[in-house]
Amino acid sequence: MATRTLSVSSLASTAFASFPRPRRPPPAPPLLRLLGPRLRASPLSTSSAAAAPDGDDDGVDTVEQLLLPRPPSASAPGAPRGRIDRLMKLQRRADGDAVPGSVGPGGRRRWFPYLDAFRPAAGGAELSSREVVEVLEPYILEARRDRIRRAVDNRSYAVCLVVEGLSDFGNVSAAFRSADALGVQSVHVISCDRSKRYRDNRHVSMGAEKWLDIEIWNSPAECFGALKKRGYRIATTCLGTDSVCVYDMDWSQPTAIVVGNELRGISDDALELSDLHCSVPMKGMVDSFNVSVAAGILMHHAVCDRVSRLGHHGDLLPEENRILLAEFYLRHRESTSTILHEYAKRKAENFLARL
């Protein structure tokens, strides 16, 4: 039986016959129909697009909804995916899995969380990051694509932020926003206090949580154990005689920065389990920063130190860059997942037809 090879472009054109393709000029009408009415007022506005909700699950209070502690049953095998899990689209690497061919400064492992695979929830063939990018790129405005590419180019997993026990979701939102702005892709949250609720925080985070890899943990032991498997050293912020000045640290090594509760600071468990304590020198009459300010200062100094030592902060390998670009394209709008699910379904049907 004669067979023929189907390219990504031919599959896409077959799969998306019902989707309006952008015409040049003008590209606006079909793109706006595809990307939804929320972008019609200002289709090229990156801030409004980043902050716009993705679907019915998203609301004004997104940060609070994301960070409420999960019941133990939520992490059981077969449990429904939580809101935080659905932010991450591609398949993820297990903590114990080695990243192929990568050892960072100081002999520590480099960590990259994603596998080069997207599995549609509705079924269909597994797709690579290259396919994801090629299929979705025509449906994203050029200005938006350029901004996403610049953000990915400056991302790194070598420094990650851990916030422990924060009860003010405004502080969490501000820390998220600083992490996104500085290119710190990985953020971890340990046991937020559900007794206090702070609403209307999207004006603080500016939708930064949409573009970060956020992981929720029930205890410092659980969080630090996973991070150490990934090759991180744990640096807790603490004023003490054994604290190292952040200006004397080598931030080219994979490091997790831990900031603590607004009133109590870092917990005793976290201090005991960490690899080192660090502090920011202060010259005034008070001996502490606001926790979100402290997180911003630490991340900013880490990025500056990495640039001075390495010449850059963003350090993704070419394949990792492409994979994270595909992840960002998938997070861009809920409609991108719909397009990709249809493409994967048609790809699987074409494969079966050739058998």
Side-chain angles (χ1 to χ4, degrees), residues 63-115:
V63 172
E64 179 186 355
Q65 293 171 0
L66 287 177
L67 301 184
L68 285 177
R70 295 183 302 169
S73 60
S75 58
R81 297 183 73 193
R83 175 71 180 85
I84 193 71
D85 297 318
R86 283 185 279 116
L87 283 179
M88 303 180 194
K89 309 294 186 180
L90 294 173
Q91 296 298 302
R92 289 176 61 84
R93 195 183 307 277
D95 290 335
D97 290 353
V99 180
S102 55
V103 177
R108 289 181 177 269
R109 290 172 47 196
R110 288 182 75 261
W111 171 253
F112 183 74
Y114 293 106
L115 300 171

Side-chain angles (χ1 to χ4, degrees), residues 225-274:
L227 290 174
K228 288 182 179 181
K229 285 182 181 178
R230 300 175 188 182
Y232 290 96
R233 61 175 178 174
I234 312 297
T236 51
T237 52
C238 173
L239 288 175
T241 55
D242 63 342
S243 292
V244 178
C245 176
V246 294
Y247 304 141
D248 298 329
M249 292 173 58
D250 179 359
W251 292 94
S252 64
Q253 297 186 41
T255 304
I257 305 168
V258 187
V259 295
N261 180 271
E262 294 89 347
L263 298 176
R264 300 183 300 273
I266 300 285
S267 69
D268 291 339
D269 287 346
L271 289 173
E272 184 177 345
L273 293 168
S274 62

Side-chain angles (χ1 to χ4, degrees), residues 8-330:
V8 168
S9 58
S10 63
L11 271 174
S13 61
T14 305
F16 305 136
S18 59
F19 287 99
R21 301 289 292 190
R23 294 175 297 176
R24 299 177 184 176
L31 279 170
L32 294 182
R33 285 200 299 273
L34 178 64
L35 298 180
R38 290 185 181 274
L39 293 180
R40 287 178 185 170
S42 179
L44 294 180
S45 171
T46 53
S47 60
S48 62
D54 283 333
D56 294 336
D57 323 6
D58 290 342
V60 172
D61 215 14
T62 300
V63 172
E64 179 186 355
Q65 293 171 0
L66 287 177
L67 301 184
L68 285 177
R70 295 183 302 169
S73 60
S75 58
R81 297 183 73 193
R83 175 71 180 85
I84 193 71
D85 297 318
R86 283 185 279 116
L87 283 179
M88 303 180 194
K89 309 294 186 180
L90 294 173
Q91 296 298 302
R92 289 176 61 84
R93 195 183 307 277
D95 290 335
D97 290 353
V99 180
S102 55
V103 177
R108 289 181 177 269
R109 290 172 47 196
R110 288 182 75 261
W111 171 253
F112 183 74
Y114 293 106
L115 300 171
D116 192 2
F118 173 72
R119 295 174 186 166
E126 181 175 285
L127 305 179
S128 69
S129 60
R130 191 181 302 277
E131 289 177 293
V132 171
V133 170
E134 289 181 1
V135 170
L136 295 182
E137 202 155 62
Y139 296 95
I140 302 175
L141 294 174
E142 184 177 0
R144 189 64 161 167
R145 292 200 308 264
D146 291 343
R147 181 151 190 176
I148 290 174
R149 285 185 178 276
R150 286 196 302 271
V152 170
D153 288 342
N154 288 286
R155 283 308 208 242
S156 175
Y157 287 90
V159 176
C160 69
L161 175 68
V162 181
V163 293
E164 186 205 11
L166 298 191
S167 57
D168 187 333
F169 286 99
N171 282 332
V172 180
S173 300
F176 285 178
R177 185 173 177 179
S178 296
D180 173 67
L182 292 167
V184 175
Q185 180 64 22
S186 179
V187 176
H188 304 261
V189 181
I190 302 174
S191 61
C192 278
D193 183 358
R194 73 162 68 232
S195 64
K196 294 186 72 176
R197 307 190 110 201
Y198 291 78
R199 298 191 177 275
D200 300 325
N201 287 322
R202 283 191 74 93
H203 74 283
V204 179
S205 71
M206 293 298 291
E209 68 279 353
K210 175 177 177 175
W211 305 105
L212 299 172
D213 294 354
I214 305 170
E215 298 181 67
I216 311 296
W217 307 92
N218 295 317
S219 68
E222 182 185 27
C223 177
F224 293 1
L227 290 174
K228 288 182 179 181
K229 285 182 181 178
R230 300 175 188 182
Y232 290 96
R233 61 175 178 174
I234 312 297
T236 51
T237 52
C238 173
L239 288 175
T241 55
D242 63 342
S243 292
V244 178
C245 176
V246 294
Y247 304 141
D248 298 329
M249 292 173 58
D250 179 359
W251 292 94
S252 64
Q253 297 186 41
T255 304
I257 305 168
V258 187
V259 295
N261 180 271
E262 294 89 347
L263 298 176
R264 300 183 300 273
I266 300 285
S267 69
D268 291 339
D269 287 346
L271 289 173
E272 184 177 345
L273 293 168
S274 62
D275 297 309
L276 66 130
H277 305 157
C278 65
S279 63
V280 179
M282 286 170 279
K283 308 299 183 183
M285 296 297 291
V286 296
D287 59 359
S288 66
F289 291 104
N290 170 275
V291 64
S292 63
V293 172
I297 291 172
L298 287 161
M299 288 187 289
H300 181 265
H301 175 71
V303 170
C304 290
D305 182 79
R306 286 172 53 76
V307 171
S308 68
R309 293 175 187 272
L310 306 174
H312 53 83
H313 169 62
D315 60 356
L316 300 182
L317 302 176
E319 182 184 10
E320 296 169 348
N321 185 290
R322 187 184 68 246
I323 292 172
L324 189 61
L325 180 66
E327 175 71 19
F328 273 39
Y329 277 9
L330 283 161

